[in-house]
Amino acid sequence: MASVFVYHVVGDLTVGKPELVEFHESETVESAIRAIGEFPEGSIPIWKKRSHVGIENSEMKQQRFVGILSSFDIVAFLAKSECLEDQDKALKIPVSEVVVPNNSLLRVVDPATRLIDALDMMKQGVKRLLVPKSVAWKGMSKRFSAIYYGKWNKNNDSPSNSSNNLPPNMNWSPSTSGTVIRDKYCCLSREDVLRFIIGCLGALAPLPLTSIVSLGAINADYSYIESSTPAIAATKKLPQDPSAVAVIENTSDGQCKILGEISACKLWKCDYLAAAWALANLSAGQFVMGVEDNVSSRSLPEFSVDSPTGNSDLVNGSRKPRKFSSRSIGFFSNSGSHSFGPRSMYRGRSAPLTCKFTSSLAAVLAQMLSHRATHVWVTEDDNDDVLVGVVGYTDILAAVTKPPTTMIPVNRSTEGFGNEIQC
């Protein structure tokens, strides 16, 4: 473990971060679609409204947190038959009926919390850290936890309402954390932590140049569906971390060839209504690869789309029906400069982000940050299409907090890899 994680504190990562603007559970799905575009990881924290007037402490703040709503959650909700029948009504539904409550995905922490402790929380499933804004704090870190890999010292009792072994909410005091701006918070995501890590790769040597397979960072427990399966099957059991389902095609030699993915980061800034229709009506392969504009109208009926993200087809105050095209989802280029043949499939933003299992940790980290992706699919070294696993935020954080390990052999067959989502 690098000392940089011990001697840095969470407050070091909050410099320049904007003040948190809460998104309440009473807001509509349409408002959430607009708000998600401004948040990292294609998701947004959802809060209950304050029920009292005055200053609230960290515990009260924690209790008001409901869960995290992702673009995947919204598209899956809008793909329901009742939502497709009345899109206007669906967009006006409060997000409280869509978000899955999970209070453990966010933690309120002191700005003087050691970074290593914050990483430990994120490795156990926390996706956001809520940090009180402060002018300055005394000392290097507030060691509310014991030595790394030890037990929590501040309170050895696990929270009664939590199934994991995370520490209880951190109660902070101005005397130890410097000048705290009351009732003002900023929110740190795992992407923020990775941006800090890539800025101090030298202190982590030799880990950054070590392959992800040597570090054991490849997660073989990913979710997938076959290309011929209806795309809606991806919503039967939404994966949590990463929020992504691989779309695969089985080859004659029994391997998995990745064609694309259905994920929160791919759906982040798409046309939600068009994507929902496609999810409900197309196969997984068609959803990620596209469908041709020149297919018959009997195959692709006209449907009404008025995208909350800005694409509106209104004629005399009513929606103008238009035929579905893969371009309308928002995955593919709308540029007229490209000339496609009659069998073209319009491949573009739906292409999965991949790396080889021999790729270095630094290379994968740079890929994730440059594409603002929550994960990278891992393929074989000699075949860019054969899928062997996935690397996500949690896998990266686990890799940078442990010493290099010996080379871990990779099973080149698909047996034992992935979890197929059944219809």
Side-chain angles (χ1 to χ4, degrees):
M1 178 193 64
S3 60
V4 66
F5 297 135
V6 177
Y7 295 111
H8 274 281
V9 293
V10 170
D12 295 335
L13 279 65
T14 64
V15 177
K17 292 289 291 183
E19 180 184 343
L20 172 72
V21 178
E22 294 182 358
F23 191 90
H24 297 131
E25 61 179 355
S26 58
E27 296 285 347
T28 65
V29 171
E30 186 173 10
S31 299
I33 291 174
R34 295 191 178 99
I36 282 178
E38 305 300 323
F39 277 76
E41 301 184 31
S43 59
I44 184 173
I46 306 298
W47 301 84
K48 296 178 182 178
K49 286 187 176 180
R50 294 180 61 163
S51 59
H52 69 284
V53 179
I55 297 174
E56 62 179 359
N57 58 29
S58 59
E59 184 176 355
M60 296 164 66
K61 190 81 171 180
Q62 178 76 57
Q63 292 303 316
R64 288 200 301 110
F65 172 69
V66 178
I68 293 179
L69 181 69
S70 74
S71 54
F72 200 162
D73 297 324
I74 292 179
V75 172
F77 170 75
L78 294 175
K80 295 180 178 179
S81 57
E82 59 269 26
C83 294
L84 291 174
E85 291 172 1
D86 192 341
Q87 295 173 336
D88 285 329
K89 181 180 178 181
L91 291 173
K92 300 303 179 185
I93 289 177
V95 296
S96 58
E97 298 185 24
V98 184
V99 65
V100 177
N102 190 343
N103 186 263
S104 66
L105 295 179
L106 177 144
R107 289 283 167 171
V108 183
V109 298
D110 190 310
T113 299
R114 290 192 310 174
L115 185 56
I116 189 62
D117 296 313
L119 294 179
D120 208 30
M121 283 186 270
M122 287 184 164
K123 286 192 295 182
Q124 295 182 56
V126 173
K127 294 185 176 181
R128 298 286 197 281
L129 295 177
L130 198 65
V131 187
K133 291 185 75 69
S134 60
V135 176
W137 52 86
K138 299 178 181 178
M140 266 192 167
S141 66
K142 179 183 179 182
R143 290 172 172 80
F144 63 82
S145 72
I147 300 174
Y148 187 56
Y149 287 131
K151 294 183 178 180
W152 302 104
N153 269 355
K154 183 178 176 67
N155 187 342
N156 289 328
D157 297 327
S158 299
S160 59
N161 61 346
S162 177
S163 60
N164 54 33
N165 294 321
L166 294 177
N169 299 332
M170 309 306 165
N171 294 316
W172 44 270
S173 63
S175 61
T176 58
S177 296
T179 305
V180 174
I181 306 174
R182 292 189 178 277
D183 268 1
K184 292 188 182 295
Y185 294 81
C186 62
C187 193
L188 286 179
S189 67
R190 295 175 297 178
E191 181 183 294
D192 295 318
V193 175
L194 260 63
R195 291 193 182 281
F196 173 83
I197 291 174
I198 204 169
C200 54
L201 288 181
L204 302 177
L207 291 180
L209 297 182
T210 306
S211 68
I212 53 177
V213 68
S214 297
L215 295 172
I218 302 175
N219 180 10
D221 191 26
Y222 58 88
S223 297
Y224 70 89
I225 57 176
E226 293 192 16
S227 60
S228 58
T229 305
I232 194 67
T235 67
K236 300 301 181 184
K237 185 181 179 182
L238 293 178
Q240 294 300 312
D241 192 26
S243 182
V245 176
V247 178
I248 62 101
E249 188 177 76
N250 288 319
T251 61
S252 57
D253 56 356
Q255 295 180 316
C256 287
K257 177 181 179 181
I258 185 168
L259 301 179
E261 64 175 290
I262 304 175
S263 65
C265 62
K266 288 295 183 182
L267 296 169
W268 187 5
K269 297 182 179 181
C270 72
D271 184 324
Y272 284 73
L273 293 179
W277 185 92
L279 196 66
N281 291 277
L282 302 180
S283 69
Q286 288 176 318
F287 186 88
V288 299
M289 295 290 288
V291 289
E292 300 168 19
D293 283 342
N294 62 344
V295 294
S296 67
S297 59
R298 288 177 296 179
S299 301
L300 298 175
E302 292 183 342
F303 71 110
S304 178
V305 172
D306 179 19
S307 170
T309 59
N311 296 324
S312 179
D313 294 308
L314 297 178
V315 178
N316 296 326
S318 62
R319 287 199 182 101
K320 175 186 176 183
R322 56 186 170 99
K323 192 173 295 182
F324 174 79
S325 166
S326 57
R327 292 179 178 181
S328 65
I329 299 181
F331 289 160
F332 312 103
S333 173
N334 290 313
S335 172
S337 61
H338 299 286
S339 177
F340 297 99
R343 303 300 299 174
S344 174
M345 297 298 280
Y346 305 120
R347 194 162 176 81
R349 280 178 55 194
S350 66
L353 185 64
T354 62
C355 70
K356 300 181 184 298
F357 69 77
T358 54
S359 298
S360 69
L361 180 67
V364 175
L365 183 58
Q367 263 187 296
M368 292 175 68
L369 292 176
S370 62
H371 291 270
R372 300 203 71 182
T374 58
H375 59 279
V376 179
W377 299 102
V378 184
T379 63
E380 286 194 347
D381 197 34
D382 55 354
N383 193 324
D384 291 341
D385 292 328
V386 176
L387 182 64
V388 298
V390 66
V391 176
Y393 283 131
T394 304
D395 307 304
I396 293 287
L397 296 178
V400 298
T401 52
K402 70 178 182 182
T405 59
T406 56
M407 178 68 74
I408 300 175
V410 177
N411 185 349
R412 289 177 177 267
S413 70
T414 57
E415 182 179 359
F417 283 94
N419 298 307
E420 182 176 10
I421 298 177
Q422 303 293 336
C423 295

